[in-house]
Amino acid sequence: MNKSPHSKKHVCYYYDGEIGNFYYGERHPMKPQRIRMAHNLIINYGLFNKMEVYRPFKASDEDMEKFHSTEYVDFLKSVTPYNESTYTRSVLEKFNIGTDCPVFEGIYEFSQISAGGSIAAAIKLNKQKSDICINWAGGLHHAKCGEASGFCYVNDIVLAILELLKYHKRVLYIDIDVHHGDGVEQAFYLTDRVMTVSFHKYGNYFPGTGAVDEVGSETGKYYSVNVPLLTGINDVGYQKIFEPVMEAVMVSYQPSAIVLQCGADSLAGDRLGSFNLTTEGHGKCVEFMKKFNLPLLLLGGGGYTIRNVSRCWAYETAVALNHDIAEHIPYNDYYEYFAPDHKLHIMPIKTLNNQNSDEYLDKIKVKVLENLRVLTHGPSVQVRDIPEDAFKHDKSAVRDNRNPDERLSQEELDQRVQRDNEYSDSEDEGKGGRKNNISFEWPNKSPRMELIDTSKNFENGRMKN
Ligand code: V1D
Ligand code: CA
Ligand code: ZN
């Protein structure tokens, strides 16, 4: 039972050893290697044995087409750096291929791994076989139905939320990446089944959306929440706005599952971001959301100072596990990246001016809380009961828990992630898994309820109720 906010959580972690080999190009700031670095820290901190580690299945075309257009998925599947020149400029423009979203080798496989991890994690949560699932290769929040955007090709978050919506009436999405989570917001802009909340830098900054008065439309009005922030926000300011906003969101929306995009470009010293959060301040958001004791999906996202991204996600894995880890970074394959101090936590940048005055933060907070006050009733949805053993299609089981006590090389670690029976429901918990041991304390538990599949309710890339 996970009654106390400090009780241990059952955590599943999704990682594919191939992910770090994908390469966006020489001058591109997105480095998938950061995920391998985070993984290497996680392993060398000994967090491996404290959670179930899975290699995710690769998402199929059919999985992706729950949100993305067939034409776009076909394009991603076919295009390579070698045949790119055979596509007309107008086709490449249509799919928004260019400097931000280049064609790179394995672009489709990369997207399959990222999306496969998030979908598998959502399935695991739906089956109530875990309290918290983690996919640091996910969180690609800018991808749209028919086009790439902001380094993102396939929106694993939308796909995972669609999976969660099969069992959850209301899903809450939170985005602490420094950029606005526009792709996820857009997908659910017209529905009250998902509330999206993004904290981001606003004003002459990519993607340009996410003003406080961007609140959703039609049935979705007031279910999109935007918290525009200015350069230099620090831990104190962030906590001052994050906590009351999220408290109010939880009270008014009462979700039964939470997805938290943990983009690490909101950290101090990020190559693209201009916030001033420390790893501790960033991790406080995870800690805060964890305390609601709801099924929680933690995803990656942006993050361009890769030594800090790996610090942050390793630390947040420890936060999920409620396990303290040493401030001195253990020896690992990337040890020299953490020089000179080899410390886990980062400091704020002293010289960075915080443009978010208390008055500014208060004004935004008041506006957001005012919008939330309009929400009095939860959304109504069609539901039907399903029999106890009807959970199926769990493609997430690719398990490795033979964790070493000794430090292993990356190659060895990657080899240790092995495939399991893809459709097995047994794992090591016996028939029925842990579902009877898990108690979600929030009032909306509907553990034996399957909701009508909403993935077909998409029109022009937007879900309709
Ligand atoms: F600096 C660069 C060098 C090479 C290629 C791209 C960039 C770059 C930096 N910032 N591109 C950007 C942003 N794009 C623009 C474009 C100018 N155009 C008119 C648009 O400002 C895109 C930033 C994307 C951020 C992605 C993300 O961090 O939010 C993310 N989340 O999950 C995965 C990535
Ligand atoms: Ca954000
Ligand atoms: Zn970002």
Side-chain angles (χ1 to χ4, degrees), residues 217-249:
S217 295
E218 301 177 21
T219 315
K221 191 161 182 193
Y222 300 118
Y223 293 88
S224 293
V225 176
N226 281 300
V227 185
L229 300 166
L230 309 173
T231 293
I233 193 158
N234 57 21
D235 291 349
V236 174
Y238 207 85
Q239 209 181 330
K240 225 184 248 175
I241 192 143
F242 183 87
E243 295 191 354
V245 164
M246 292 321 306
E247 197 76 57
V249 161

Side-chain angles (χ1 to χ4, degrees), residues 141-142 177-180 205 261 263-266 272 301-304:
H141 57 172
H142 299 303
D177 190 287
V178 72
H179 299 97
H180 178 227
Y205 199 63
Q261 196 265 21
D265 47 9
S266 40
L272 296 192
Y304 306 98

Side-chain angles (χ1 to χ4, degrees), residues 141 173-182 197-201 227 238 261 265 275:
H141 57 172
Y173 171 70
I174 310 154
D175 187 316
I176 59 170
D177 190 287
V178 72
H179 299 97
H180 178 227
D182 59 343
V197 185
S198 178
F199 298 79
H200 46 267
K201 177 173 156 74
V227 185
Y238 207 85
Q261 196 265 21
D265 47 9
F275 282 179

Side-chain angles (χ1 to χ4, degrees), residues 314-332:
Y315 173 59
E316 287 170 355
T317 304
V319 167
L321 287 162
N322 218 15
H323 182 80
D324 287 336
I325 55 175
E327 176 60 359
H328 190 84
I329 288 178
Y331 189 68
N332 67 85

Side-chain angles (χ1 to χ4, degrees), residues 49 51 53 58 64 70 98 107 113 146-147 176 186 196 209 215 217 264 319 339 341 344 375 429 433:
N49 268 335
M51 58 192 179
V53 178
K58 290 191 171 77
M64 294 179 187
T70 307
I107 187 172
I113 293 170
E147 63 181 276
I176 59 170
Q186 195 183 95
T196 61
T209 46
V215 294
S217 295
V319 167
D341 58 319
L344 173 63
L375 305 177
E429 294 161 339

